[in-house]
Amino acid sequence: MSQKLMDISTQVATIGQFGKENLADILHCIGETVPLLTGQSRCRLYLEDLTSGTLVCSLATGQVSPRVHARSFPLTGPDFLVSRVYIVHEEIDVR
């Protein structure tokens, strides 16, 4: 097994050991694992905030991560790419 696959397996096993109260640790592991899976140096993960009806950036890696964290999106706003992805439950490649 290659080192990359072993690293991914280790991260997935680590995530599986966390409970729901370890959200920060889970997000940290996801932030380390996504680049291994995708070959990209950045990723974003949005979580639902049902009290405000928004998608909140809970994880962002890369150079613009501070700016990304500051922006939330409406859950059902078709004018926003992040919201459209949430609505249709499909990924969109924006390379």
Side-chain angles (χ1 to χ4, degrees):
M1 182 183 288
S2 74
Q3 183 62 44
K4 180 179 172 180
L5 286 176
M6 288 180 5
D7 291 345
I8 292 169
S9 295
T10 300
Q11 291 288 36
V12 169
T14 300
I15 291 168
Q17 294 174 359
F18 291 129
K20 64 182 178 183
E21 63 278 354
N22 298 97
L23 182 58
D25 295 324
I26 293 168
L27 292 173
H28 178 78
C29 283
I30 290 171
E32 292 180 345
T33 306
V34 168
L36 295 172
L37 292 169
T38 64
Q40 301 296 314
S41 61
R42 62 184 183 213
C43 71
R44 297 179 191 175
L45 190 137
Y46 291 86
L47 297 179
E48 300 171 354
D49 182 340
L50 297 177
T51 58
S52 66
T54 59
L55 295 168
V56 178
C57 184
S58 297
L59 169 72
T61 61
Q63 294 178 341
V64 297
S65 64
R67 288 192 326 221
V68 172
H69 274 286
R71 179 80 164 101
S72 60
F73 298 92
L75 287 176
T76 57
D79 296 335
F80 301 101
L81 180 63
V82 171
S83 300
R84 285 199 315 260
V85 169
Y86 173 80
I87 292 166
V88 299
H89 298 286
E90 294 178 10
E91 67 182 58
I92 296 175
D93 190 356
V94 291
R95 285 184 232 178

